[in-house]
Amino acid sequence: MYILVLLVVSSWWLAGLVLAADFEDPAVVTRIAFGSCAHQDRDQPLWSDIAKWDPDYFIWLGDAVYSDTKSLGFLFRRPGLTHYSEQLYKMKTKPDYQSFLRRRTKVVGVWDDHDYGVNDGGITDDMYTAAVQDMFLHFLDEPEESPRWTRRGLYGSYLLGQGEHRLKLILLDPRSQLNRRNGTVLGEAQWAWLDNELKTDPTPLTILGTGLPLLTERITVDKWLLYPQERERLLGLISRRPNTIIISGDSHFGEMQCSNTTRGPLFEITSSGMTHNCLDWVPDFLCDFGAKYIASCPGCVSQAFVDLNYGTLSIQWSPDPRVIMEVRGRQGTAIHYMLLLDKIHNERCPSPVFVKYQRVWQVIGISSLTLIVILPLYLASYFFLSLHAKAYFHPKLTKHHSE
């Protein structure tokens, strides 16, 4: 009897080690689309293109809405709960998005800064986080049995497919526990959960999604590199999981980066800018020029794609398992790379993109920025001080001469 009980308990324990994902879907997945940065007050031109591509899953990687408010045109503030709810409703009822939701594609996702509450934001009070998390999960049509309703954070995992045609999708929440003062991103509860997720459910392919780009060293974007200890901790955990691909958003352009590891190349595909790219007050051609020629990107194995875009993963399970990673725009495929899963451990990253005369372009860019921004500020301050100095000294000089 004791042996029977021991066997039952042991089987439960082993099952917990083998299967730990929050959700399971036995349907074999061959197409995944993902994207980020879709403003609810702008046109939504990409949904019809994504629908034509016909993905099994679409993954939001943050900024599904822009809920934060602005003062003085550039200072971001956390929205009230009513305003937050209204922006989600506005996005969800967009005709193009509604048409997409009526298709067979399943929609999952996480938030980033703007749909969490404020630009480049992080940890806030528990009551606010719980309230906006509840609203965002309703926006995603999250199943009632989902453990994400009771967590502090939107992180979650999905085991998709079966047998040798199975993948694990892990979505991180790098916002609700981000603490800039302490230099922490995920919080210990999420770290413990992630550690277990990466140790369990062995699959031929793992996809890890994070709104905050992981591999990038670009100085112009928010990124994991701003929290170096947390970044190294995450990369260390990922290194235990073979055949992992990173997908990310937030940067307002698309690109592909790669880092060599002991298990082969680690790829990151960034797709960002479904309704807009770069900054509103900067012309697109300047953004394109800056991203391609001025901003250093040692790990980039593709040129930056500065136009509206979404990312795709096409998975061929047999006879030779492979993943085709792409960033697509309104004119078709902009970035493309094929990865053979059975041979990835013997591969190396493709050669980084070489930018000829980049130092020269950087000097020109910095000089131009100085002329465009700093010089007008200098001239404005000079004339301002001159006028005030004249107003201050002129009455005194007049009075002195009259005496």
Side-chain angles (χ1 to χ4, degrees), residues 79-128:
L81 295 179
T82 300
H83 179 81
Y84 183 89
S85 177
E86 289 172 349
Q87 305 318 302
L88 288 175
Y89 177 80
K90 188 183 294 185
M91 177 63 199
K92 193 164 184 177
T93 54
K94 283 281 188 180
D96 292 321
Y97 187 49
Q98 272 292 305
S99 177
F100 180 78
L101 290 177
R102 288 192 289 267
R103 299 178 58 83
R104 71 175 188 91
T105 302
K106 298 173 183 177
V107 177
V108 298
V110 291
W111 56 25
D112 195 38
D113 50 352
H114 291 286
D115 45 1
Y116 172 59
V118 68
N119 182 48
D120 293 343
I123 192 169
T124 184
D125 61 272
D126 288 346
M127 290 185 63
Y128 178 84

Side-chain angles (χ1 to χ4, degrees), residues 33 47 55-60 64 92 97 100-110 137 139-143 148 158 169 171:
W47 290 115
D56 302 306
Y57 275 81
F58 176 82
I59 305 169
W60 280 112
K92 193 164 184 177
Y97 187 49
F100 180 78
L101 290 177
R102 288 192 289 267
R103 299 178 58 83
R104 71 175 188 91
T105 302
K106 298 173 183 177
V107 177
V108 298
V110 291
L137 288 172
F139 169 77
L140 292 174
D141 295 320
E142 191 79 1
R148 300 209 293 176
Y158 304 78
L169 170 64
L171 299 179

Side-chain angles (χ1 to χ4, degrees), residues 12-174:
W12 287 346
W13 182 76
L14 288 172
L17 286 179
V18 175
L19 298 175
D22 297 327
F23 305 93
E24 290 187 53
D25 182 355
V28 175
V29 172
T30 58
R31 289 189 167 196
I32 293 175
F34 56 95
S36 63
C37 303
H39 201 293
Q40 66 277 8
D41 292 327
R42 297 175 183 258
D43 293 335
Q44 309 280 326
L46 293 181
W47 290 115
S48 59
D49 293 334
I50 300 173
K52 290 176 183 176
W53 194 72
D54 195 26
D56 302 306
Y57 275 81
F58 176 82
I59 305 169
W60 280 112
L61 289 173
D63 299 344
V65 297
Y66 282 68
S67 64
D68 41 7
T69 58
K70 289 182 181 181
S71 59
L72 302 177
F74 62 92
L75 296 176
F76 290 91
R77 296 186 301 173
R78 192 179 79 178
L81 295 179
T82 300
H83 179 81
Y84 183 89
S85 177
E86 289 172 349
Q87 305 318 302
L88 288 175
Y89 177 80
K90 188 183 294 185
M91 177 63 199
K92 193 164 184 177
T93 54
K94 283 281 188 180
D96 292 321
Y97 187 49
Q98 272 292 305
S99 177
F100 180 78
L101 290 177
R102 288 192 289 267
R103 299 178 58 83
R104 71 175 188 91
T105 302
K106 298 173 183 177
V107 177
V108 298
V110 291
W111 56 25
D112 195 38
D113 50 352
H114 291 286
D115 45 1
Y116 172 59
V118 68
N119 182 48
D120 293 343
I123 192 169
T124 184
D125 61 272
D126 288 346
M127 290 185 63
Y128 178 84
T129 298
V132 295
Q133 180 168 325
D134 187 74
M135 295 179 196
F136 195 82
L137 288 172
H138 279 291
F139 169 77
L140 292 174
D141 295 320
E142 191 79 1
E144 292 182 2
E145 67 275 11
S146 168
R148 300 209 293 176
W149 291 104
T150 57
R151 287 177 181 153
R152 194 190 193 285
L154 280 179
Y155 52 93
S157 61
Y158 304 78
L159 196 60
L160 309 177
Q162 49 190 310
E164 293 302 311
H165 300 166
R166 188 172 62 165
L167 67 87
K168 190 167 192 179
L169 170 64
I170 300 173
L171 299 179
L172 300 182
D173 175 1

Side-chain angles (χ1 to χ4, degrees), residues 110-298:
V110 291
W111 56 25
D112 195 38
D113 50 352
H114 291 286
D115 45 1
Y116 172 59
V118 68
N119 182 48
D120 293 343
I123 192 169
T124 184
D125 61 272
D126 288 346
M127 290 185 63
Y128 178 84
T129 298
V132 295
Q133 180 168 325
D134 187 74
M135 295 179 196
F136 195 82
L137 288 172
H138 279 291
F139 169 77
L140 292 174
D141 295 320
E142 191 79 1
E144 292 182 2
E145 67 275 11
S146 168
R148 300 209 293 176
W149 291 104
T150 57
R151 287 177 181 153
R152 194 190 193 285
L154 280 179
Y155 52 93
S157 61
Y158 304 78
L159 196 60
L160 309 177
Q162 49 190 310
E164 293 302 311
H165 300 166
R166 188 172 62 165
L167 67 87
K168 190 167 192 179
L169 170 64
I170 300 173
L171 299 179
L172 300 182
D173 175 1
R175 288 296 172 183
S176 62
Q177 294 295 305
L178 187 150
N179 190 320
R180 295 185 183 276
R181 181 177 299 177
N182 298 336
T184 58
V185 179
L186 297 185
E188 286 309 314
Q190 189 173 177
W191 276 119
W193 168 87
L194 177 60
D195 179 67
N196 186 59
E197 292 292 338
L198 289 170
K199 288 191 297 189
T200 56
D201 308 322
T203 54
L205 174 64
T206 300
I207 301 167
L208 190 144
T210 166
L212 203 61
L214 177 61
L215 298 182
T216 189
E217 297 181 15
R218 290 183 181 273
I219 62 172
T220 55
V221 299
D222 202 8
K223 52 188 173 291
W224 276 86
L225 189 60
L226 297 175
Y227 316 95
Q229 291 183 334
E230 298 280 277
R231 181 177 183 259
E232 289 304 312
R233 184 176 180 180
L234 179 55
L235 289 172
L237 290 179
I238 293 173
S239 68
R240 303 189 315 212
R241 186 90 177 187
N243 293 5
T244 296
I245 295 173
I246 311 297
I247 56 176
S248 61
D250 188 66
S251 60
H252 288 215
F253 52 82
E255 67 181 358
M256 185 180 297
Q257 299 204 31
C258 187
S259 175
N260 287 309
T261 73
T262 56
R263 291 185 179 270
L266 175 64
F267 283 90
E268 177 176 357
I269 308 97
T270 300
S271 172
S272 176
M274 294 185 69
T275 60
H276 58 294
N277 48 271
C278 200
L279 302 171
D280 291 339
W281 50 274
V282 178
D284 286 353
F285 77 92
L286 284 181
C287 268
D288 185 67
F289 181 81
K292 290 180 178 177
Y293 298 102
I294 296 179
S296 297
C297 185

